[in-house]
Amino acid sequence: MDPDISIMFQSPSSRGLSEDRVRVELSPRYNRRPLPQYEARIAESWSQRCQQNPWLFNGSKFRIHSASLEREESGEEEGGEGRQERGVLLRLRLGLTCYRDFMGTNWAPWAAVLQQRGLGELGDSQAYLAEPLGVGAMLLTADDSFVFLKRSERVGEAPGKIDIPGGHPEPKAVAVGIPEESIQLKDLSEELVVQELFFSVLAEIRDEVNLPLHSLHKPILLGIARNNTSAGRASAEFYIRCSLTSEEVKHFYWEGGPEAQESTNIVFIKREAILRLEENALLWSELCPSAKGAVKLYSLVQPV
C-alpha cells in the first residue's frame, strides 16, 4: 500500500455502513494526553502561525481515539431463546481537540517524537496527538464519474494537489448556542454527533462544489483512512451518489460556492478508472493523501 496512507477501519460489507449502523461514545478518556514539556511548544507554534496567517482561528474538533465493530442484539425473545443478533454496528470513540493542537502535534516537526513516546510510554502511538477526525466524499455523478477538486496553492495542506470534497464534522454544530472555545463533552449528544458526522460530508460538498443538498443521496461510510504524512491523522470516507451529470456538476461548481477559494478546478474520473488508479503512477502521485485513502477504501469495498 502507498506509504502515505493506511486503513484504520474498512466496512465489512460492500453495502458500507449507513447512519443507523454507527454509534458514538464520548468521553474525556479519548482526549489527547498532554505532555507538559511540549505544551509551551504547541502554544508558541500556534502564535507564530497566527502572526503569519491572521485569518487562522482555533476551531473545536472531534478527536478520534478508536473504532470497533460490534454485534447489535435485541432483548429477550418470548420463547426464551436468548438474544438475537440483528446486525453489525460501528462504534467510534471520540473526545475533543482543536485546530491549534492539530497544527502543534500532527503537523509539527516533533510529531514523530510524540508518536514514539506515546507508543513507548502508553502503548498508543497517537496518544499525544490531536487526531482531529476529518470527513471526505467519493462523490459519484449520474453518468458514472467521481468528482475531485484541484486544491488552491494558498491552502495550508496539500496545495495544488487533487483532493476529494471534505472537511470536518463540527462540535459547534451540535452544541448550538455555546461559544466554540467553551464546548465540553457534556454539552454534546452522542446521537447528534452521529448525525453531524454524516451531514457534515454533505455540507462540505454543498460548500466546496456548490451542489444543492437535494441532489445528494444519503452518505454510506466506506471506512476510516489515515494520512501518514500528518502523523496518521484519520478521515472518515463516504460514498455518495449524486443525481446530477458531470456537466451539471461542473456548471454548479463554476458558479462558485461558499468555499470556492479552496480549489481552482474540478476533475472527473470514471468509475472503472478509479479501480485501477494506483496503476496510473502519474495521476496517483497528484492525489493528496486524503484522496488516496478514499480511493483505496472505495476500491476495497466497491459499493453498488
Side-chain angles (χ1 to χ4, degrees):
M1 186 180 295
D2 189 307
D4 284 354
I5 59 172
S6 55
I7 303 301
M8 178 179 177
F9 164 78
Q10 174 189 334
S11 168
S13 166
S14 62
R15 295 188 297 274
L17 295 171
S18 55
E19 185 175 327
D20 65 308
R21 298 287 90 195
V22 178
R23 302 288 185 271
V24 158
E25 179 184 335
L26 302 173
S27 172
R29 300 192 308 274
Y30 306 140
N31 290 348
R32 176 178 71 89
R33 295 286 192 94
L35 199 57
Q37 57 266 51
Y38 279 89
E39 299 310 299
R41 288 195 193 184
I42 292 170
E44 182 181 357
S45 173
W46 178 251
S47 177
Q48 291 174 353
R49 286 180 181 275
C50 288
Q51 290 175 10
Q52 296 167 1
N53 300 294
W55 49 268
L56 283 178
F57 67 95
N58 184 25
S60 178
K61 306 297 177 189
F62 293 107
R63 181 184 188 272
I64 186 161
H65 174 272
S66 55
S68 62
L69 287 174
E70 302 175 357
R71 285 285 179 182
E72 182 184 29
E73 296 180 338
S74 65
E76 294 290 333
E77 294 181 345
E78 291 183 5
E81 297 178 358
R83 295 181 179 273
Q84 178 185 20
E85 291 183 348
R86 295 177 56 193
V88 174
L89 296 174
L90 171 65
R91 183 170 299 276
L92 300 175
R93 298 173 187 87
L94 304 178
L96 283 177
T97 187
C98 63
Y99 190 69
R100 184 203 78 150
D101 288 2
F102 170 53
M103 300 305 290
T105 59
N106 289 73
W107 263 112
W110 50 83
V113 175
L114 294 179
Q115 286 184 298
Q116 292 167 5
R117 291 195 59 172
L119 188 61
E121 297 168 7
L122 300 169
D124 178 3
S125 64
Q126 308 306 103
Y128 295 132
L129 303 180
E131 295 287 273
L133 178 63
V135 293
M138 289 295 291
L139 178 62
L140 186 67
T141 65
D143 53 347
D144 227 27
S145 290
F146 282 101
V147 177
F148 293 79
L149 302 174
K150 186 173 178 59
R151 293 174 63 81
S152 166
E153 294 288 347
R154 290 189 275 182
V155 297
E157 288 185 60
K161 291 285 189 177
I162 295 174
D163 201 1
I164 55 173
H168 301 88
E170 301 288 352
K172 65 183 179 182
V174 180
V176 179
I178 298 176
E180 188 166 5
E181 65 276 7
S182 302
I183 295 174
Q184 300 180 45
L185 287 169
K186 65 181 180 62
D187 302 319
L188 304 173
S189 156
E190 292 177 344
E191 292 79 10
L192 292 181
V193 171
V194 174
Q195 291 180 26
E196 166 61 10
L197 176 65
F198 277 74
F199 177 75
S200 63
V201 71
L202 297 175
E204 294 293 346
I205 294 170
R206 176 196 63 198
D207 295 344
E208 293 182 5
V209 194
N210 196 37
L211 299 186
L213 289 176
H214 65 75
S215 70
L216 305 175
H217 292 222
K218 290 183 179 180
I220 298 298
L221 180 63
L222 299 171
I224 302 172
R226 287 194 177 277
N227 177 350
N228 294 332
T229 69
S230 55
R233 185 261 191 94
S235 181
E237 310 297 359
F238 295 84
Y239 169 63
I240 301 172
R241 291 170 54 227
C242 177
S243 62
L244 304 174
T245 65
S246 302
E247 282 301 315
E248 290 169 326
V249 169
K250 186 186 298 184
H251 174 77
F252 277 105
Y253 173 79
W254 286 114
E255 284 187 340
E259 297 180 6
Q261 75 284 354
E262 294 185 5
S263 65
T264 58
N265 203 357
I266 189 165
V267 178
F268 297 95
I269 303 176
K270 285 292 185 179
R271 185 206 296 258
E272 59 268 22
I274 286 291
L275 299 176
R276 304 189 306 273
L277 201 56
E278 280 189 84
E279 300 170 14
N280 185 335
L282 180 60
L283 182 53
W284 184 256
S285 68
E286 293 181 12
L287 298 184
C288 61
S290 55
K292 289 179 179 179
V295 168
K296 187 66 177 180
L297 278 167
Y298 177 81
S299 300
L300 291 170
V301 178
Q302 293 190 39
V304 294

